[in-house]
Amino acid sequence: MTEQGFSTMAFPAFQRSIRAQWAPVLLEPIAGSYERLVVAVAVVSPDGFHLEVANALERLHCLYLDNAYGAVYAIQLTAEHLKQELATRAIKALTEPMSFMSGVLIGECREAEGESLQKIGANWMRTLSSLYQEPIAEVEDALVEVDGEQIDPGEAAGDRLPTLVLNYVSQRRDGLTQFFSNDIRESRRRRMTGRSHEVLIDFSGSRLVANFGTLHAGGIAKSVNLIKRRLWDLKVERDREYSPMLIRQHEMILQCPQPDDPQVSTKQLASVKEALQALEAQADQEELRLRALSSVSEIGEHVLSLEAA
């Protein structure tokens, strides 16, 4: 017993809720129509703000096909602009919004209560938006052993090519390491779920912007879907940075099995060839370069040669 007469047993701490004001951010994809999409929820309190953005934007493809690119770009610009507005004008950014893009509206401002601004925003996005999915909780990654080497489980389950290219390039020219993304440099696991609104670029150099992907003969469908997503990121990045003063090549660089690979069957090679043709057609449509190479060393030398030009 303590001096106050209470046991030292620990009780769960009471987490006090906070009150805040929130408003949905609406996108009118067709000018003059009654159709509205909830693309974000902005939450403001006297202590700060939070903007919860739609994280399943790939669903727009089902509705608008190639026209989805414009909608995603508009959502990204809106998020960037609104964060600046909330940082400088606080609640007035919602109650007295300044229009900066046609088709973007701020909905009615209301009060809410919750454990945090982020949780209030996430709760309302789950309720209101079909372009939002519940993020998977991030857990601490343990090291696993593959072929006698300890690596991150995200690499074991995903595509290790970007990390291998980084290692090859950095051994030959250390100054290029800074051009690889933080995820790759720090060997972090890429949690795609819950980050669908983010544009991921593997390498952003002075002359080359590239994403890397492996076309696995034993998993064509999964590989193609991931590569298409990386092509999408390249297109968004290319369109976002466009400037006549900044001319860089934007490439989706693939490692593909060779026709004489003894571990790949004739049927698998036919599937690889068909997948490559489909990916090249999509890249051509977006005016991007799809480059298929056979090894990490070939890819690394290609990066080195372009950045040395």
Side-chain angles (χ1 to χ4, degrees):
M1 300 288 285
T2 65
E3 288 185 35
Q4 289 79 17
F6 291 101
S7 169
T8 57
M9 180 183 296
F11 289 91
F14 174 71
Q15 190 164 11
R16 186 176 62 183
S17 63
I18 62 173
R19 297 193 65 82
Q21 292 180 286
W22 69 275
V25 183
L26 310 171
L27 177 68
E28 182 184 83
I30 303 174
S33 76
Y34 291 99
E35 186 175 11
R36 300 286 190 275
L37 297 173
V38 178
V39 299
V41 163
V43 190
V44 182
S45 77
D47 298 322
F49 71 89
H50 175 75
L51 186 66
E52 189 75 10
V53 183
N55 61 11
L57 298 181
E58 68 275 6
R59 296 174 184 174
L60 289 169
H61 286 280
C62 299
L63 291 174
Y64 305 113
L65 300 178
D66 289 342
N67 292 329
Y69 295 126
V72 170
Y73 188 47
I75 292 169
Q76 291 172 336
L77 287 180
T78 297
E80 292 175 6
H81 173 82
L82 191 51
K83 285 178 182 178
Q84 295 175 3
E85 283 284 280
L86 290 166
T88 56
R89 301 179 60 226
I91 190 61
K92 285 189 176 181
L94 304 181
T95 58
E96 302 174 16
M98 294 182 179
S99 177
F100 78 103
M101 180 181 294
S102 61
V104 176
L105 308 169
I106 303 296
E108 181 183 353
C109 196
R110 303 176 183 179
E111 289 192 357
E113 187 173 347
E115 294 180 7
S116 67
L117 300 181
Q118 190 276 333
K119 288 190 175 182
I120 292 174
N123 287 338
W124 280 109
M125 280 297 289
R126 281 196 300 270
T127 302
L128 299 176
S129 180
S130 59
L131 301 177
Y132 186 83
Q133 58 188 9
E134 179 78 20
I136 294 177
E138 296 188 2
V139 297
E140 184 176 354
D141 296 332
L143 291 176
V144 297
E145 190 167 276
V146 177
D147 296 332
E149 179 187 6
Q150 283 192 326
I151 64 172
D152 182 89
E155 293 180 356
D159 195 343
R160 296 184 62 211
L161 179 63
T163 301
L164 295 174
V165 174
L166 165 64
N167 293 339
Y168 183 93
V169 169
S170 62
Q171 288 172 6
R172 288 154 182 82
R173 186 177 166 191
D174 187 59
L176 293 182
T177 302
Q178 62 180 323
F179 295 140
F180 286 85
S181 72
N182 289 334
D183 279 354
I184 299 172
R185 292 203 307 269
E186 299 173 14
S187 298
R188 289 195 309 227
R189 186 177 189 172
R190 287 192 173 186
R191 297 171 176 84
M192 300 301 292
T193 304
R195 292 179 59 183
S196 303
H197 63 286
E198 294 186 22
V199 174
L200 298 178
I201 299 297
D202 293 333
F203 183 87
S204 182
S206 57
R207 294 177 174 85
L208 172 68
V209 179
N211 277 338
F212 307 106
T214 304
L215 191 56
H216 295 282
I220 291 293
K222 182 178 179 180
S223 297
V224 167
N225 286 335
L226 289 173
I227 292 167
K228 284 184 175 180
R229 187 166 191 167
R230 308 317 308 284
L231 272 169
W232 163 267
D233 288 344
L234 270 177
K235 172 185 166 51
V236 173
E237 180 68 13
R238 193 262 325 269
D239 293 347
R240 181 165 62 186
E241 77 166 22
Y242 175 75
S243 168
M245 303 298 294
L246 180 64
I247 300 177
R248 300 192 291 179
Q249 290 185 213
H250 289 71
E251 297 187 357
M252 183 71 222
I253 303 177
L254 307 182
Q255 181 182 11
C256 301
Q258 293 300 291
D260 59 353
D261 190 330
Q263 297 182 358
V264 181
S265 68
T266 302
K267 183 177 180 180
Q268 286 176 326
L269 284 173
S271 297
V272 168
K273 182 178 180 180
E274 183 180 354
L276 267 178
Q277 291 174 343
L279 289 168
E280 286 171 350
Q282 180 170 342
D284 289 343
Q285 180 179 343
E286 306 300 344
E287 299 180 351
L288 296 169
R289 172 70 65 84
L290 184 83
R291 190 180 297 274
L293 300 172
S294 61
S295 66
V296 171
S297 60
E298 277 192 72
I299 295 172
E301 288 299 327
H302 174 66
V303 173
L304 289 167
S305 65
L306 277 182
E307 286 299 315

